[in-house]
Amino acid sequence: MTKQEFLSELERALGKLPHAEVEQALAFYDEAISDRMEDGLSEAEALAGLGPVDEIAAQIAAETPPIPRAIARANTGSRTLNIVLLAVFSPIWIPVVLALAAAALAVYVAIWAVIAALWAVDAVLALMPFAGLAALASTLGGGMPLPGVFAFGLSLVSSGFGLVASFAVFWASKLLFRATRSFARWIASLFVRVSGKDDDGEAPNRVKASGTPNMPAHAENTPSNHATLPEGGTRNA
Amino acid sequence: MRKAPKIILITAAALIGTGTVLSCGARAVAGFDTAACPP
């Protein structure tokens, strides 16, 4: 098999993936094979080291975000037919898309609402002495200060607990903020490849085994992909 | 900035202590009489 045949077969195997993904994969493997050949391997050896085309295509398909993959699969190949189908099924997909967007927004707002509520409760506790002072002033005016002193004392205790609770609220806010970030990343990962590490330390879409040539996760961000090539590529890194 | 938690904790302890003394003191002066001290 020649390089051109390999690339043609890969293009066919990638089938209905988004055009940009296919172009990216082809460019990547074109360069990978060229690099291997420049390193002294024959064309057949360079191709043999890459593995079966179907496996490569399956790996690339698995790393393509679900939404672009679904859109690409639904593509009929005819622009007119695509528009007609979109229009015909719009009573179904438009409400579904809107509902999903509203649900995502609701989750985001709910998390921030919990953060706001926690701080509001904490602020009320911490500022309780103002209410205690008002109670004290009103009872002093009435000539019977003991209930006012009692209430003011309780308000001071409440303020103290409010200040202590602010540490817990701060910690909870940090956790919830991380949750919003993870949620936003998850939403983004449905549409695009998200680079970088997740909170659990797992690197998504990263090359899994050095012996298997996969599409690198950051292929779309960096013009040169040689650094992630299993062999031969490090020369140019 | 690193001293802030310590200051907050000391303030909180002072508030809780003062508040406890004030409220318990008020109750004690009232003779733990619920009629004189409704709360």
Side-chain angles (χ1 to χ4, degrees):
Chain A
M1 187 191 282
T2 64
K3 183 170 99 170
Q4 207 47 51
E5 284 169 350
F6 174 87
L7 293 175
S8 304
E9 203 169 312
L10 181 61
E11 188 174 10
R12 183 196 52 75
L14 290 174
K16 282 190 167 182
L17 281 187
H19 183 67
E21 293 278 339
V22 177
E23 288 293 313
Q24 210 171 61
L26 292 178
F28 174 76
Y29 280 98
D30 189 4
E31 270 193 67
I33 296 162
S34 299
D35 283 345
R36 282 156 174 255
M37 288 166 69
E38 281 170 24
D39 282 347
L41 295 177
S42 69
E43 194 172 32
E45 284 170 335
L47 291 170
L50 292 173
V53 173
D54 289 340
E55 227 172 73
I56 294 171
Q59 182 69 40
I60 294 168
E63 288 177 359
T64 304
I67 303 286
R69 196 168 58 204
I71 290 172
R73 274 187 187 158
N75 188 359
T76 59
S78 157
R79 192 182 165 83
T80 316
L81 187 57
N82 284 344
I83 293 170
V84 169
L85 285 175
L86 274 177
V88 167
F89 289 106
S90 60
I92 297 171
W93 67 264
I94 288 179
V96 169
V97 167
L98 286 178
L100 290 176
L105 185 68
V107 170
Y108 208 75
V109 170
I111 294 175
W112 278 105
V114 171
I115 294 175
L118 284 173
W119 280 109
V121 169
D122 194 51
V124 166
L125 281 177
L127 298 176
M128 200 62 96
F130 289 107
L133 274 177
L136 183 62
S138 69
T139 52
L140 278 177
M144 208 168 84
L146 283 181
V149 174
F150 180 79
F152 182 60
L154 282 187
S155 72
L156 289 183
V157 172
S158 136
S159 179
F161 280 115
L163 285 180
V164 174
S166 64
F167 290 105
V169 170
F170 184 71
W171 173 76
S173 300
K174 253 168 62 171
L175 275 186
L176 288 167
F177 176 70
R178 273 189 210 155
T180 61
R181 213 173 48 180
S182 300
F183 182 67
R185 284 175 69 88
W186 177 72
I187 295 284
S189 74
L190 295 176
F191 296 90
V192 290
R193 281 204 185 119
V194 180
S195 59
K197 288 196 170 189
D198 276 345
D199 286 344
D200 58 2
E202 277 288 312
N205 301 327
R206 194 61 59 84
V207 176
K208 290 179 184 68
S210 61
T212 312
N214 300 317
M215 273 293 288
H218 58 281
E220 69 269 22
N221 299 327
T222 49
S224 171
N225 305 317
H226 301 299
T228 53
L229 290 180
E231 54 191 73
T234 49
R235 187 175 50 79
N236 296 330
Chain B
M1 193 65 194
R2 286 184 67 184
K3 282 187 177 175
K6 210 172 180 181
I7 292 169
I8 291 174
L9 278 178
I10 291 170
T11 311
L15 283 170
I16 291 171
T18 311
T20 307
V21 168
L22 277 178
S23 53
C24 289
R27 293 288 289 190
V29 168
F32 296 101
D33 179 3
T34 50
C37 190

